[in-house]
Structure formats: C-alpha cells, structure tokens
Amino acid sequence: MKIKDLAKTEFWIATGLYGFAILLLISNSGERTPNFTEYLMKGANLRYSYISNYLIPELFRFSILYFSFLLLNFCIGPSIFKPSARVLSILVIIVLFLSTGLMTSIIYTYSQAYLFSDFTTPDEAYAHFFFKGYTYAAWLILVIMIYIALKKLIVYFRENQTSKYDPASRMKLEAVFGGAFWFVGLLFLIATSSPFEVMVCWTLVICAAVFIVIYSLYYLIPEVKASGRTFKNFFWKILLITIVFCIPLSLIALLFSNQGEMAGIVILFHIPTQIIISAPLSWYIYKKRRESNAELTTLKTELDKSDASLSFLRSQINPHFLFNALNTLYGTALQENADRTGEGIQMLGDMMRFMLQENMQEKISLTRDVDYLNNYIALQKLRTSRSPSIVIETQIDEQLNNQQIAPMLLIPFVENAFKHGISLQQPSHIKITLQTKGNTLYFDVHNSIHIKPDNDPEKLKSGIGLKNVEQRLEHLYPNRHELIIRESAKEFFIHLTLQLTGNK
C-alpha cells in the first residue's frame, strides 16, 4: 500500500469510528437508558443530568481523541522525524498535552461528579480529577506517538529489506505489524476508558498470538509439511504450545493485578484465541504464500526461457553487417541526390543501434533516450511531410542536466500519438513537450484521435499499450511519478511528471 493510500485509509477509519460513536451517543439520548454513571450519581445522592453528566462529556472525550489523533498522525508525527521541524513539533505536543489534560480534567468533574463525596474537601477532588485528566492525556499522546513510530518502522522495513521474500526481513516486518495491531487495540481501549485489567488481558493474549503465528509460519508449519503430516498434527502442536503458554501468562497477569481471578480470565481468552484464530490463520497464510512462491517460480522459469530466446535471436543479428548495409544504402542515396531517403536511413540506423545496445541497460542517459525520441519523430515527419493538414509540433529541451532514465519509457506515448492521431485524409495534430527542472522531468503529448477503418492493418496491432507503461512506472518509479491521462471523442492528452536521478 502506498503512503498516500495508507493516510487516506487511516483518516476514513478514524472519521468513521468517530462518526459512529457520535451517532450512537445521540441515538441513545432519546431512549434515556440508565447507565453506570447514573446509578453512581444517584447512589451518592446527587442530581443526575443525562446531558451534562454523560452526553456532553462523552462527546467532548471522543472529539478530543479524534482531533488529537488527526493532529499527531498527520501533522506533528511526520514533522517530528525532520530535524528542522523537531523543536516546533515538540512545542506543539506540549501545548496539546496541556490543553487536552485541562479539557479532560474538566470533563471528569462532570462525568465523575459522584467522586466528590469520597474526598474531605473540593480541592482534593479537583486535584484528583486534574491528575487523572493529565495522566489520560499523557497516555493518549504516548500511545498515538508509538503507533506513528511503529508505522514509520514498517515503512522503513518495507523500503530497506534486502528482498521482498527474505524470511528474516519479512519476519521483522510481521512482528512490527503485530505490534501495530496491538497498539491500535490498546488505543481503542484507552479511548473507551476500559479498565486496566482489560488492557493487560488484551496485551498478553495478542502478544502470545503474534508469537504463535510467527513461530508457526517460519518453524512449525514447515517442519510439519516436511514430515508429510497434515493440519491435524499442526493443530495438536499448537494446542500443546497454547497450554504451556498459560503458565507464564498467568504469572504476568498476577503481577499486574492483585485479583486472583485475573489469571483465569486471561487463560479463558487466551486458549480460544489461539485455537480458533491463530492456528487457522497461520495455516491459511502459509498455504497462500506457498502458492504465491510456486507461481513466482513458474514465472521466473518462463522469464528465463524468454531471455534465452531473446539472446538467441539477438545473436542471429550481425550488427556489423546490419550497420554496414545501412551505410551502403546511405552512401547510395547521397550519390543519387536522394537527401530525404539518406536522412531517413541515417536516423533508422541510429534507432537500431540504440535498440541493440543501450535499450538493454537498466538506466541510460536522458540525452540518448531523447535522441531516439527525436529520430522517431523525424522519421514520422518524413512520412507525413506531403500532407499539409498534419501539424506536428515539438518543444524538447536540449539542456537535460545529465539525468538518467529507464530506456524506452517515453516513446510508447509518442508511438500511441502517431498511431491514433494521424490521418492522411483528415486534419490531424500532435504536440510533444519535454522539459526538465532540476531532477524533475515534465512530458506532455497532445494529439487528435482518428478511428482507423476496418481494412487498416494497424487497427489490429496493439503495440506497447499504455497499461504496460503504467506498470513499468509503478515498478521503476514508485512514489516518484505522476501520470495524468485525459481523453475525449476527438483528442487525447497525457502529462507525465518524473523524478529522475543524475549520472553516477
């Protein structure tokens, strides 16, 4: 998933949860169902108001959580990792902590007014509320920042792993994903003011689940598969591991809670979670990965065959013979005063030399790629020069700042323009613009559209489709390009912005 898409997903999930919570509060206000706060208020002989003691405090609490998440996740979080904006980000976090703590403390004085009777003076009660409010604010900011750090760590692992299929890198990435899932749940529990014991139970069960899933994927299931056994054998091993885990989880639960039944509650959630969720999920993921790896192996085999065939075909072409023949034709055309023919042969020779030599490289000079582009356009101009109704305009920079580009990335757009934009019977136009500013390339192709007749042999030729170019851009320039394509009944337009790299 791209960073932009992840940000959109986060925003809409947060907004959806916030809207759902507000809608739930408003819908419940009409029913006036008694809640726990009302019982406590009446138990303390205090007058209870659903609006001031429950609805408005809850609205403010959800709003504080929602807007704090947006501010930290989309504004402060990305800036705090930049040294130039770090000081300002920390100052904003401090201001957010103070304001959030103050508002939360005031909310507690209304939603938990029944606690006033537990203190000897109002000042002690207010001190308790303000301490609790600022503690909540600190936890809220800490959990959101840890979520942001985990997200940053996931992006780092994805961008810097040695191989997408490297087990060590993938294991680290999945462990971080598990940690992120745990923190999202913890954030939800904090937002809903869940008891501390519930947070402990969530932490222990999820951490055990993450460990069991990763251990199953990389050790247990491969061992079961290697011995030729089935899911049944794997299931019994998971059950044994789950039971063994009950001992340390119970001890940890008792350390965090003085209540003896806390250990039993953790075990009650732990065993069904691992048996019903972790075991089937691990088996399903492993199965899907094996199918993907098998498909990848097949594709690599087919690609190797294709490369071998291509190498064989290239070996059949004698470049010296080919270029000597073209030079002979070029000299003959000059002797016969066929300047246009000679010019066309020379440009064709340059294009074929480019195809046989530089086109096989991963990156080439932008200047050479543009030379090929200019030769192709010049050949097309020769073909259409006797048709005054065809207008071909080019504005291509000559100073290209020693940039490098993947070969044959621009030419498909130009080929598409000449294929669909030129008609010898109707007025036609093509305009091609290319310029660079710094490391950024701007490329525009604007052409007319003509539907080819059924008897035209070009109509059935697909060439290199634009979909193929889009896939190459996604693969070669992820998050470093923008492609805009617009089409009407009579015109076609593409705009490409590309972040290039300089010569090494």
Side-chain angles (χ1 to χ4, degrees):
M1 181 181 289
K2 296 181 180 179
I3 301 300
K4 292 190 299 182
D5 297 335
L6 176 61
K8 290 179 181 178
T9 302
E10 289 177 315
F11 173 78
W12 286 115
I13 289 177
T15 303
L17 291 174
Y18 174 66
F20 176 75
I22 298 300
L23 184 63
L24 194 62
L25 283 173
I26 295 174
S27 62
N28 287 339
S29 64
E31 299 176 3
R32 297 297 303 276
T33 305
N35 54 60
F36 189 63
T37 303
E38 182 175 353
Y39 288 121
L40 292 175
M41 290 285 288
K42 291 180 178 180
N45 296 321
L46 296 174
R47 189 172 65 85
Y48 173 77
S49 170
Y50 181 84
I51 302 296
S52 60
N53 294 114
Y54 184 78
L55 179 62
I56 294 179
E58 288 297 296
L59 286 173
F60 269 95
R61 191 163 64 85
F62 284 123
S63 298
I64 288 171
L65 173 63
Y66 173 68
F67 289 109
S68 296
F69 176 79
L70 294 186
L71 181 62
L72 289 169
N73 191 50
F74 298 112
C75 299
I76 300 175
S79 301
I80 203 168
F81 294 101
K82 300 176 182 177
S84 59
R86 189 167 296 160
V87 175
L88 179 60
S89 299
I90 293 174
L91 290 176
V92 175
I93 290 175
I94 293 173
V95 172
L96 178 65
F97 166 71
L98 294 174
S99 58
T100 301
L102 178 62
M103 287 187 288
T104 305
S105 302
I106 295 172
I107 289 170
Y108 283 146
T109 62
Y110 286 92
S111 63
Q112 300 180 10
Y114 52 85
L115 292 178
F116 275 98
S117 59
D118 295 342
F119 298 92
T120 55
T121 63
D123 290 340
E124 291 181 4
Y126 283 119
H128 169 78
F129 288 134
F130 274 77
F131 176 78
K132 190 174 180 180
Y134 279 101
T135 301
Y136 175 85
W139 272 107
L140 177 64
I141 293 174
L142 178 63
V143 170
I144 295 176
M145 291 306 296
I146 293 176
Y147 167 77
I148 295 169
L150 283 171
K151 184 174 65 173
K152 188 81 174 177
L153 193 60
I154 290 172
V155 173
Y156 173 80
F157 275 130
R158 287 181 65 89
E159 292 179 350
N160 294 277
Q161 58 184 343
T162 55
S163 171
K164 184 177 180 182
Y165 301 96
D166 176 47
S169 299
R170 194 163 57 182
M171 189 187 303
K172 293 177 184 177
L173 185 62
E174 287 166 351
V176 175
F177 267 116
F181 177 74
W182 166 61
F183 265 104
V184 169
L186 188 63
L187 177 62
F188 175 77
L189 294 175
I190 291 175
T192 54
S193 298
S194 299
F196 178 72
E197 289 76 10
V198 176
M199 298 182 191
V200 172
C201 182
W202 166 263
T203 300
L204 294 176
V205 172
I206 293 303
C207 289
V210 171
F211 174 82
I212 288 175
V213 169
I214 293 178
Y215 178 75
S216 299
L217 287 174
Y218 295 97
Y219 299 101
L220 191 56
I221 300 180
E223 181 184 329
V224 170
K225 287 287 187 180
S227 61
R229 297 175 182 174
T230 60
F231 176 78
K232 183 178 179 180
N233 181 266
F234 165 71
F235 176 83
W236 289 115
K237 289 188 175 184
I238 286 292
L239 180 60
L240 178 61
I241 294 172
T242 302
I243 294 173
V244 172
F245 255 90
C246 290
I247 299 173
L249 292 180
S250 301
L251 294 176
I252 296 173
L254 290 174
L255 287 175
F256 282 96
S257 175
N258 295 325
Q259 301 175 5
E261 62 269 16
M262 184 63 190
I265 294 173
V266 170
I267 293 174
L268 188 64
F269 281 97
H270 165 66
I271 295 177
T273 299
Q274 313 313 337
I275 298 302
I276 298 174
I277 298 177
S278 298
L281 179 64
S282 303
W283 189 269
Y284 175 78
I285 293 174
Y286 184 83
K287 181 182 177 182
K288 287 298 180 182
R289 283 185 181 173
R290 286 198 66 180
E291 292 175 356
S292 299
N293 290 338
E295 184 179 354
L296 180 64
T297 302
T298 303
L299 289 175
K300 283 183 176 180
T301 303
E302 294 297 326
L303 183 61
D304 290 341
K305 291 180 181 178
S306 299
D307 288 342
S309 300
L310 179 61
S311 299
F312 175 76
L313 289 174
R314 291 186 68 204
S315 68
Q316 304 309 300
I317 302 174
N318 189 322
H320 297 289
F321 170 78
L322 178 65
F323 295 132
N324 286 338
L326 287 173
N327 287 333
T328 301
L329 293 173
Y330 176 66
T332 303
L334 293 180
Q335 290 176 0
E336 296 177 355
N337 295 323
D339 295 336
R340 292 176 69 249
T341 303
E343 184 182 356
I345 293 173
Q346 186 178 26
M347 287 185 290
L348 180 61
D350 290 340
M351 292 174 66
M352 296 189 73
R353 184 177 290 107
F354 176 89
M355 292 291 294
L356 286 170
Q357 297 174 1
E358 298 185 58
N359 184 38
M360 304 306 295
Q361 301 177 31
E362 184 179 348
K363 291 284 182 69
I364 64 168
S365 166
L366 178 60
T367 303
R368 287 294 297 127
D369 200 68
V370 170
D371 286 343
Y372 179 86
L373 201 67
N374 283 326
N375 283 332
Y376 179 84
I377 295 171
L379 277 175
Q380 292 291 347
K381 284 183 177 179
L382 282 177
R383 182 174 70 90
T384 60
S385 60
R386 297 186 179 182
S387 300
S389 62
I390 298 176
V391 178
I392 301 173
E393 299 179 49
T394 58
Q395 296 178 6
I396 299 177
D397 279 358
E398 296 181 0
Q399 302 295 327
L400 299 174
N401 302 325
N402 296 322
Q403 303 294 333
Q404 290 200 328
I405 190 173
M408 304 297 288
L409 202 59
L410 305 178
I411 189 65
F413 298 110
V414 179
E415 287 180 343
N416 186 73
F418 279 99
K419 178 180 178 181
H420 300 287
I422 295 297
S423 172
L424 299 177
Q425 290 80 31
Q426 304 176 42
S428 308
H429 68 271
I430 295 177
K431 183 176 181 180
I432 301 167
T433 304
L434 187 149
Q435 60 178 334
T436 58
K437 292 183 179 179
N439 289 336
T440 305
L441 178 142
Y442 301 94
F443 184 61
D444 296 290
V445 179
H446 183 202
N447 59 273
S448 53
I449 294 178
H450 300 286
I451 300 176
K452 295 186 178 298
D454 294 336
N455 59 355
D456 192 328
E458 287 292 322
K459 185 172 184 178
L460 300 177
K461 294 182 181 180
S462 58
I464 302 177
L466 297 185
K467 287 292 182 183
N468 179 275
V469 184
E470 291 179 22
Q471 292 174 359
R472 288 190 68 204
L473 286 169
E474 288 290 341
H475 176 68
L476 298 172
Y477 296 90
N479 302 320
R480 293 193 291 136
H481 78 279
E482 181 185 25
L483 178 62
I484 299 173
I485 299 177
R486 294 195 180 95
E487 182 177 5
S488 65
K490 295 184 178 181
E491 291 186 311
F492 190 85
F493 171 79
I494 71 102
H495 170 75
L496 175 64
T497 303
L498 201 61
Q499 300 298 322
L500 302 173
T501 55
N503 281 323
K504 298 181 180 179

